Amino acid sequence: MGLRFFARPSLGTVLVIASLMMKQAAAFGQMVPYNGTVCNGYIDYNVWLPDGGSINAIEQGLIQNKVLENIAKMVDPCRSAYLDYTCSVAYPRPVKTGQSNSFNVLFACQSSCQAVASTCTADFQFTNQLQLLPDCSAVIPNTNTYPGGSVHYQPDNSCNMLASKSANASCPFTHTECPLPFVKDNVYALTNGQQNTDDDNCECGCCIPCPQTNAYYKADILDQGFFVTDVLKAVSAGLSFILVISYLVLPDKLQHPSNLILFSAIATTIFLAAVGPSFGNPRRVQCAADGVHVASSHNNTLCAIQGAWVVFGAIATVAWLSIVIINLHLHTVWNSSWLSRRAWLSHVLGWIIPAAFAAIAVVTKNLGWNNSNMCMATADTAGVLLFIPLGIIMVPATILHFATFGHIIKVTLQAENSETVSHSTLSSGKAARISHRRHVMNAIRIQWRAAALALVVSSSVLLYWAFYVVEGSKTDLSWMSTWKLCIFADEGQETCGNKYAKGNVPDFLFMMITESLVSTTGLWIFLLFFKKSLVMEWKETISGWACFGGNRTRRREEDQFYVI
């Protein structure tokens, strides 16, 4: 609750709070305009002063207590929190009651005191200023001189809550030089410190450049790592495209079930080819034109295009590879061609649904730079627009594939029982071992391509899920101000990153493993399905073109990939 005082218009008054107090006669105080400098930008109201002094005396007390000197050693958000607290304590807010010469006085908030404790403890430890931390359980400093006695910090619904201000309001000076990885803030310079290029990443003339994540690791290590994965994507896209051409040109590849491999390769090529817009110059999709804001649908058209491309390609790739696994299960376990008679269903799952999610992302403008060198769904919508659809499609397909493999093992074990009878000349144990090994190896020979395919795709999805859940949950930014203090103390980007960012940002090795696995999807499809028989068919086809004008009479044997 605020305290009620009656004004004495003829008296000048002052209150030095936070170790700034002067003796005062017992009086009710008055309401006066603020004309000081220390809290300029924070105090936008008439302040309350008890009898006995002036605003100038309070300002001198703040200066003598080295408030400005201490602030010069701080960075945001600690600096703003500390100034907010100091000014709300030093200058209580009077609120008119409607009665003549009567007003209530609002004192500092409990929450503003706690904000200093939560945002500044690590910073003050770094700068050896722990003595500046307030005791939020004690009374407001020096309020024992008030009429009525000491005052405790007040609840938010009845306290002197200062309006949110730009970080520039707390700048004690403008940085003339910005230590790496910071860069100069051009907007700050052009507006004489009134505006920042980006309030979240700029303060007092310096900005963390886009992409901000790079600043928290060893210099250039993310760019180097993602360049390698971009090369893998490009090579992988080229190899899967070769498989696409092979299935389009060679005989009998457009019929079910071979066309499922074709559509899988097309989807994979589309997904991996999305690296094109960022290849060699990732900043053109990662960042807005000002070099500080990260790219989004709102400020970077190329990023939006790539983001929709990635969402469509990723879901389509997983969908078609899952359809291959489902068809294999139907053919192997149930001897059914159900899916071949419903090709439209495959195309809905493989093309229409991915296109729908990409369209939703485009319409809702939820595309932007998230991580790596490419744009995709934004961090807050990636789960709904990308990872959940991938999981819904891939997890059941993977379980189904293991069920298929389990069925094959069961069949071979049943065959083993009958075969051991015919091996009567051998001991029962030895015959059983030989029969078991032969049948299991036959099952693996039939299924190994699909097994490897399921392993690669499910591993990619599950690892990306793990990366998204584990690393994406690192949203605590309390370490940021201490990291900035470390940078401005010229300790170096790598040292400061290892001290304060490591563990609070995505793990570099985990990030590279997941990116590399996704980047090689096309390579694995090529290795698994560009078989020796395709090479022979290419030779025959080229020979046919050269000798017979393209007449091809050989019909391929049934692919053992689908034989039980």
Side-chain angles (χ1 to χ4, degrees), residues 408-418 436 439-440:
I408 291 178
I409 293 176
K410 178 182 177 181
V411 170
T412 56
L413 290 176
Q414 291 173 345
E416 172 189 343
N417 295 330
S418 61
H436 176 76
H439 285 296
V440 170

Side-chain angles (χ1 to χ4, degrees), residues 245-266:
I245 297 300
S246 299
Y247 271 66
L248 287 174
V249 172
L250 297 178
D252 304 314
K253 295 293 189 295
L254 299 180
Q255 303 299 317
H256 185 87
S258 294
N259 61 354
L260 300 183
I261 306 301
L262 169 62
F263 296 136
S264 299
I266 291 174

Side-chain angles (χ1 to χ4, degrees), residues 182-462:
F182 283 81
V183 296
K184 295 288 289 184
D185 185 352
N186 295 326
V187 172
Y188 183 91
L190 291 173
T191 60
N192 295 318
Q194 298 302 306
Q195 296 180 21
N196 296 317
T197 299
D198 178 10
D199 286 342
D200 291 333
N201 295 297
C202 302
E203 60 176 90
C204 304
C206 292
C207 297
I208 307 175
C210 169
Q212 282 72 35
T213 306
N214 289 27
Y216 311 133
Y217 300 84
K218 180 181 178 182
D220 300 323
I221 192 172
L222 282 187
D223 284 337
Q224 294 167 0
F226 285 129
F227 177 73
V228 172
T229 60
D230 284 355
V231 171
L232 288 175
K233 286 186 178 77
V235 172
S236 197
L239 292 174
S240 60
F241 183 69
I242 291 174
L243 191 65
V244 169
I245 297 300
S246 299
Y247 271 66
L248 287 174
V249 172
L250 297 178
D252 304 314
K253 295 293 189 295
L254 299 180
Q255 303 299 317
H256 185 87
S258 294
N259 61 354
L260 300 183
I261 306 301
L262 169 62
F263 296 136
S264 299
I266 291 174
T268 302
T269 302
I270 292 173
F271 168 58
L272 296 172
V275 73
S278 55
F279 192 85
N281 184 13
R283 298 295 184 272
R284 62 189 169 200
V285 299
Q286 290 175 320
C287 306
D290 58 31
V292 177
H293 286 94
V294 296
S296 68
S297 298
H298 302 280
N299 59 28
N300 190 319
T301 302
L302 189 59
C303 174
I305 293 172
Q306 185 185 57
W309 192 343
V310 168
V311 170
F312 172 78
I315 299 177
T317 297
V318 170
W320 278 110
L321 293 176
S322 297
I323 291 170
V324 170
I325 294 172
I326 293 170
N327 183 75
L328 179 63
H329 176 82
L330 292 173
H331 183 88
T332 302
V333 177
W334 305 103
N335 195 25
S336 170
S337 57
W338 183 87
L339 196 59
S340 66
R341 298 192 300 270
R342 294 167 178 82
W344 63 270
L345 188 59
S346 298
H347 290 288
V348 169
L349 178 62
W351 302 125
I352 304 301
I353 292 178
F357 278 97
I360 291 172
V362 171
V363 172
T364 59
K365 295 187 179 297
N366 280 313
L367 296 166
W369 179 79
N370 192 341
N371 219 318
S372 79
N373 273 8
M374 300 169 63
C375 291
M376 52 180 284
T378 56
D380 55 342
T381 60
V384 174
L385 293 177
L386 184 59
F387 290 105
I388 290 177
L390 291 180
I392 290 175
I393 295 171
M394 193 63 230
V395 171
T398 303
I399 295 173
L400 191 65
H401 178 69
F402 284 116
T404 304
F405 198 62
H407 174 77
I408 291 178
I409 293 176
K410 178 182 177 181
V411 170
T412 56
L413 290 176
Q414 291 173 345
E416 172 189 343
N417 295 330
S418 61
E419 188 169 330
T420 54
V421 175
S422 64
H423 287 72
S424 55
T425 58
L426 298 174
S427 66
S428 59
K430 186 174 182 180
R433 287 194 298 272
I434 293 174
S435 177
H436 176 76
R437 183 164 54 250
R438 180 168 62 249
H439 285 296
V440 170
M441 291 303 296
N442 185 55
I444 295 175
R445 181 180 62 83
I446 295 172
Q447 280 277 87
W448 76 269
R449 297 181 193 278
L453 180 65
L455 177 63
V456 170
V457 177
S458 61
S459 297
S460 299
V461 173
L462 292 176

